[in-house]
Amino acid sequence: MSSSVSTPASSQTAARASKAKANSPVLEVKNLSVALPSGGDRANAVSNVSFTVNPGEIVCLVGESGSGKSVISFTIMGLLAKALKPVSGEILLEGENVLAASEARLRELRCTRMSMIFQEPMTALNPVMTCGDQIDEVLRTHTKLDAAQRKAKIIGILTRVKLPDPERIYASFPHQLSGGQRQRIMIAMALVLDPVLLIADEPTTALDVTTQAEILKLIAELQEGQGTGVLFITHDFGVVAEIAHRVAVLRWGELVEMGPTEQILSRPAQAYTRMLISSVPSIHPAHRGVRLAREMVLRTEKLGKIYSSKSLFQKSRVVKAAIGVDLEVRKGETLGIVGESGSGKSTVARCIARLIDPSEGNIYLGDTDIARIPAVRLRPHRRKVQIVFQDPYRSLNPRMTVGDSIIEGPMNFGLGHAEAMQRARKLMETVRLDPNALDRYPHQFSGGQRQRICIARALAMEPELLIADEAVSALDVSVQKQVLELLDEIRQRLNLAVLFITHDLRVAAQICDYVAVMSQGRVVEYGAAEQVFGAPKHEYTKTLFAAAPGRNWEFGKFAA
Amino acid sequence: MIDFIARRLVSIVPVLAVVAIFVFLMLRLTPGDPAAVIAGDNATSDQIADIRAKLGLDLPIWQQFAIWIGDMLHGNFGESFFFKKTVASLIAQRIEPTLALAICTLILAVVIAVPLGVIAAYRHGTAVDRIVMGFSVLGFSVPVFVIGYCLIYVFAIYLGWLPVQGYTRIGVDFGGFLEHMILPSVSLAVIYIALIARITRASVLEVLNEDYIRTARAKGLSNRVVLMRHALRNAAVPILTVIGIGVALLIGGAVVTESVYGLPGLGRLTVEAVLSRDFPTIQAVILMFSVVYVLINLLIDIAYTLFDPRIRY
């Protein structure tokens, strides 16, 4: 469970505890309803939601996209988009109803009593201001401290969020820092005035797993030290298991159930909660049986990609995105490439599909080395390798019907329109979509459906190798499960070779026969999934697994 | 950075070469003989031939070009056919009103347009937004000379507040200089106000959807601070770009404005030089405008780095 850091309650906490009415919640949300603009898919974004957050407590709001969890957090901060209107209920921050507060009063409360940190540390900081200035702004707005006092306070908070060399960070611009460091800046900014409530809206979702573990630990430490109440919004049950004291499950704007973490995770009362938790892929690899020696589809030999920028007057920069990568994928097999951002996993995938040209090494598709063959001779091989990308919202052309998107490839390779449409209809059935929906546009489908369309589009080329580049990472966990099952079923049925790129260890554990772990452009560990997950050898792999949130929790094994 | 500036300065050379060839050929290929203009209506063909020989216009075109380029490289811009002065002294004489007009127009346009655009973006979709954008369309559509004559009629003739035409040198009488500058700069600024306000609105509107604006609001900052400190600075790059393009267009606008208001500037000099087929003057003025254009765009590119620390050359 939450790796609670047992720091003795500081004097500040004690002071606050006596100041605030003892045991009274910092946040009480009572019967909150927020109306959607007319014409939406439902009347309310949030209906009749009630919950409390106590001092020193971390409450997780869990739900899939569209469940209303972010709407609740923005309503509390008074940052709701103009189209959304709270229509009933109260939000009491230490007894004060923020729904009734004036805009001026809300501004006073923000960052002093309640603070918020956001999902995307990459975009949540102003790129043209130094980090120090951005924190300084909070102090200038809300306090009467002079410049020296402010500077001292900022250096203090930067130290508290464990940023190295606070003076340098103070003067740095956001783009000069890593994602984890930027999230620390956000946390420093949110906590510099010791608010009683911290709202964390998916604060670790965009981070790598090892960074995520550090940030979660930091939030838990800081909130425990200060007795801050935390409302933590997430879709990830691993994170819930790691950090939450209590959990509230949301669906379609309604509170499904709420209770202590252990109870919700192991004895959920509601069917929806059970379904959601059972959808979380297990981190222990499924036993996938013995592999027979089959026909090789893809083999890379010392594959490397080097980016270099040359300039007459400046030092040339060389980035080795991939170095000496040897991989093999056989028919009917799934090879997973696992790694954090910048590990080179996508670079390798793109080299194999020849979307980018490799700098060195060989790529054998069957017997042909396609690493360096010219575009004209590459063309017949293009058909054999197809990719499904991460973001189904952006990888389909919004101005083309899904039918046109699916048949475009086959028709480029000489198939007639009628036959291509015939194939498209069949593929829609394969991916369990209505074949009559071929004349619709992508925006008329949900994220999961779009990803199915992307899979159908890739399959329409009758590829030998399917590359799934983070193909389920943007999907909700229940949809993710369905798409993963679909992919696995298609692999079996078509005896397809699949190269599955992911940062998600749980997903990799469930779908891969073999796993290659990449770090800094190199494959550091490579073997059967059961072996890599069961007994990791390389230091990096061990660190990666140790950082996976909720790794000690077997989701979906409910107590009777 | 120094590397970047050096490269850009070097790039002026090919730009100038192309402009020089182009201008030179254009002038020679258009009908109209400068010698005939200088000689007057009653001149005999011998007189005209004499003048042609004196000006070097009887030489083959490539020789004329070579002589001109050679002179230019020695810093000699030649002598005006028509004004009987060196081109350099002509330009020196005429540059002040144009420079003053350009600077006043730019300041006026930026000071009015940027706040208007920010307000329109902030009040997006409201009546304020629609009024600003409506005026912007109007500003685009009405030609400078129409605005100029309307303003002259109202403020100079009907109300009598400001002088109709003419120019007072800044060193002679600053009050008089301002009086003479107001109407021309306002007329010329209208289209830039329209252009810059529109771009500012679009650019700020885009920035307002960014995550860091939400962060700024979550910090409890006032709307004014969010708009001016966080939104505007991030929206600055496209606005600067348009201002840079605006400066180039300003040159064309100056020609018309100077004619309407009788300002003795480079714009009018260009018109007079074209009408009298005064080749050396036209060539020099156009080359000078090209240099100015390249330099201004370089300045704009350097200015980007002041607004956005991520931009490095």
Side-chain angles (χ1 to χ4, degrees), chain A residues 74 77 79 107 110-111 118 120 123-129 134 137-138 141-142 173 175 186 189 313-314, chain B residues 1 3 7 122 210-212 214-215 217-223 225 229-230 233-234 307-310 313:
Chain A
F74 285 117
M77 290 296 287
L79 293 174
R107 281 205 293 271
R110 288 180 197 143
C111 247
F118 303 96
E120 279 288 345
T123 54
L125 290 167
N126 188 334
V128 304
M129 283 171 80
Q134 298 193 48
E137 236 183 355
V138 175
T141 310
H142 296 291
F173 287 99
H175 70 273
M186 281 301 292
M189 196 165 11
F313 297 95
Q314 285 157 337
Chain B
M1 185 70 160
D3 178 32
R7 262 185 293 141
Y122 178 59
E210 295 284 344
D211 287 351
Y212 50 81
R214 186 180 60 189
T215 308
R217 293 183 62 211
K219 287 202 269 191
L221 304 181
S222 68
N223 286 329
V225 175
R229 199 183 298 154
H230 289 269
R233 212 181 138 189
N234 276 287
F307 285 91
D308 193 334
R310 288 167 300 179
Y313 299 114

Side-chain angles (χ1 to χ4, degrees), chain B residues 147-159:
Chain B
I147 297 171
Y149 286 127
C150 289
L151 289 179
I152 289 179
Y153 180 76
V154 175
F155 292 97
I157 298 173
Y158 186 74
L159 294 171

Side-chain angles (χ1 to χ4, degrees), chain A residues 302-307 319 321-322 351 356-361 371-372:
Chain A
K302 301 263 170 293
L303 179 63
K305 175 70 188 171
I306 296 167
Y307 291 100
V319 178
C351 283
I356 51 178
D357 293 331
S359 324
E360 53 197 30
R372 252 166 293 277

